Amino acid sequence: MTQAPVNVTVTGAAGQIGYALLFRIASGQLLGADTPVKLRLLEIPQAVKAAEGTAMELEDGAFPLLAGIDIFDDPKQAFAGANVALLVGARPRTKGMERGDLLEANGGIFKPQGEAINAGAAEDIKVLVVGNPANTNSLIARSNAPDVPIERFTAMTRLDHNRATAQLAKKLGVSVSDVKKMTIWGNHSATQYPDIFHAEVAGKNAAEAVNDQKWLEEDFIPTVAKRGAAIIEARGASSAASAASAAIDHVYTWVNGTAEGDWTSMAVPSDGSYGVPEGLISSFPVTCRGGKWEIVQGLEIDEFSRGKIDASVAELSEEREAVRKLGLV
Ligand code: NAD
Ligand code: LMR
């Protein structure tokens, strides 16, 4: 080991994603093979016992990089000293629940968590929100952490990015590693826009390589955008291992950087780029260097893409309006 342990706080630790995620963090895949980690697990009181069971299994893994595990049911304690925070636990939509009810219920989770991050997280805190509605939950947490630089709050669209990459590779009969510069724009919801017009496949423009607008509009975009619902339909539960894998990818890339000649997709606070209203946590193409992300600038957006981006961003604006009315941001 070459450095002091990094404190990683994971909420919803006893849930499905938590179960797939924690072992990969402990094995060094979140931050790299030289970085020891201390896990700080947050759960609601009723699920603390289950989190203790997961912690026993983590101990049984004898992971050389795992420097300790603490379990909490109090956000203030769980986020104290956190360098990385993975906000996975959220209130799922249940039968008869309107979108406003869902946002309000999640406000009850992400407002106090934002306050706790503000009060006690480490100076270099990086936050990834996975729990849905992820973009707006991240906005709620950020709005309640006024002392933390806004760029430290992100939400996950890497799963959508990975899904889009896999679908495109399948269509063209190439390896996923041949696909570069995929972009997800907007919200992690069915309105998201997976954009292949700037993507490259083995060095060629992906849209030109596909050359099939019908496939793009009727197959690719809906398949990626509705993949979460299709997994729920097939598995009877929300995606878990692939979501955990994408969370690992998101943080690993943020910390260790994007490859030369490539970018990734992250939902980050908008600075107004590409006409996305400032402050919305919206997905963009980003590069990462030295632990910082930057929105890729100067991409040409045609009319088709403009309409799709605007539709998803409009949904984010509506969500922001709804949580404003609830006094959450
Ligand atoms: P799950 O129901 O299996 O687990 C959620 C866990 O969160 C539970 O153990 C619950 O006790 C805990 N929790 C609830 N409130 C909490 C709080 N206030 N503090 C700490 N923990 C709390 O759900 P899951 O399958 O692990 O999914 C978690 C979330 O991730 C869901 O909102 C899901 O929709 C979302 N998700 C997002 C993506 C994405 O790409 N952004 C992908 C898949 C799933
Ligand atoms: C996914 O994209 O798999 C999830 O966000 C779906 C969900 O609603 O949990």
Side-chain angles (χ1 to χ4, degrees), residues 10-19 42-44 46-47 50 72-73 75 87-93 106 108-110 113 129-135 137 155-160 163 188 232 235 237-240 242-244 246:
V10 181
T11 77
Q16 286 205 85
I17 294 177
Y19 196 70
L42 178 67
E43 259 298 348
I44 51 173
Q46 310 87 285
F72 305 94
D73 62 9
L87 275 48
V88 178
R91 173 73 204 275
R93 191 194 290 258
N106 278 293
I109 296 174
F110 288 87
Q113 291 186 0
V129 176
V130 174
N132 281 322
N135 302 54
N137 286 341
M156 191 163 95
T157 50
R158 183 61 176 262
L159 179 55
D160 312 293
R163 287 167 170 164
H188 172 68
I232 292 172
R235 245 172 58 82
S238 179
S239 61
S242 57

Side-chain angles (χ1 to χ4, degrees), residues 128 135 154-165 180-187 192-196 199 224 246-247 249-251 253-254 258 262-268 282-288 293-296 299:
L128 167 62
N135 302 54
T154 66
M156 191 163 95
T157 50
R158 183 61 176 262
L159 179 55
D160 312 293
H161 177 101
N162 290 348
R163 287 167 170 164
T165 299
K180 311 274 184 237
K181 300 184 177 174
M182 179 59 73
T183 304
I184 304 295
W185 299 93
N187 202 0
Q192 68 176 268
Y193 173 47
D195 174 1
I196 66 166
V224 174
D249 290 345
H250 177 114
V251 174
T253 305
W254 190 357
T258 39
D262 200 1
W263 65 59
T264 188
S265 303
M266 284 168 72
V268 298
S282 186
S283 188
F284 288 98
V286 302
T287 51
C288 301
W293 55 261
E294 209 172 295
I295 296 171
V296 174
L299 299 179

